[in-house]
Amino acid sequence: VGVTIKSTLTGNQALNLPAGSVGLGELNSNALMTFSRVSRSAGDVSTSSTTFVPFTGASVTVTLNKAGPALTGMMGGCYNDAGTNRNDFSIFVDGVNQGGTTGDVQATDDAGSSTHNCSFTYMTPSLTQGTHEIALYWSVNSGTGTMRCSTSANCTFWTLTQ
């Protein structure tokens, strides 16, 4: 069900919704949201690296009109061929790891080579106004991690900024 809200709000004013409505958070009538995405369908991507390496083709350059966070995410399925080992994912902003040594998300394989959902979302800390590179990196704790990125199940990396 789609909902359209028309408003004459100016600046940062609250929009009160009727009881039972879905919350929208702060509404800024001057906001311009920008959606950036890259999608890979040319074949699976694998790594055996135990330190974070760039995920092939999963980076976007965004320009923020004002300081604020970015909402970013990855959609796709993955597995690790070595039983109960992990695929670790981390968001890098301007080359800086946001998730520490084990990343923002750890996906543990329970059966080895069994594809499961590795999708996630991440909200960055506030970024300065200007241009930033937001990228997905990944690693494994052991074994070989694989993301399924085919024409029937592509991998998509996306970012939403204001």
Side-chain angles (χ1 to χ4, degrees):
V1 173
V3 176
T4 301
I5 300 174
K6 294 185 178 183
S7 172
T8 57
L9 297 177
T10 59
N12 290 323
Q13 296 180 356
L15 174 63
N16 295 315
L17 300 174
S21 298
V22 175
L24 298 176
E26 181 182 327
L27 179 68
N28 180 346
S29 62
N30 297 321
L32 174 63
M33 303 303 288
T34 302
F35 182 76
S36 305
R37 83 176 166 94
V38 290
S39 189
R40 178 180 171 86
S41 60
D44 296 349
V45 179
S46 295
T47 188
S48 297
S49 178
T50 56
T51 59
F52 283 110
V53 295
F55 186 93
T56 304
S59 69
V60 295
T61 300
V62 297
T63 301
L64 279 69
N65 297 319
K66 65 179 190 174
L71 181 63
T72 189
M74 170 66 169
M75 295 179 289
C78 72
Y79 69 88
N80 187 306
D81 69 353
T84 57
N85 289 315
R86 290 189 328 262
N87 294 335
D88 298 331
F89 299 91
S90 197
I91 301 299
F92 278 56
V93 177
D94 298 327
V96 177
N97 183 352
Q98 302 298 299
T101 56
T102 57
D104 299 301
V105 175
Q106 297 86 42
T108 302
D109 202 331
D110 56 357
S113 300
S114 173
T115 302
H116 55 279
N117 185 359
C118 292
S119 303
F120 67 92
T121 57
Y122 175 79
M123 178 78 76
T124 70
S126 187
L127 305 175
T128 58
Q129 179 180 356
T131 302
H132 299 277
E133 181 191 41
I134 300 175
L136 177 66
Y137 279 57
W138 69 324
S139 66
V140 296
N141 69 326
S142 185
T144 299
T146 300
M147 284 290 295
R148 297 284 193 194
C149 301
S150 66
T151 54
S152 62
N154 63 32
C155 300
T156 302
F157 179 70
W158 57 269
T159 300
L160 181 65
T161 57
Q162 180 175 347

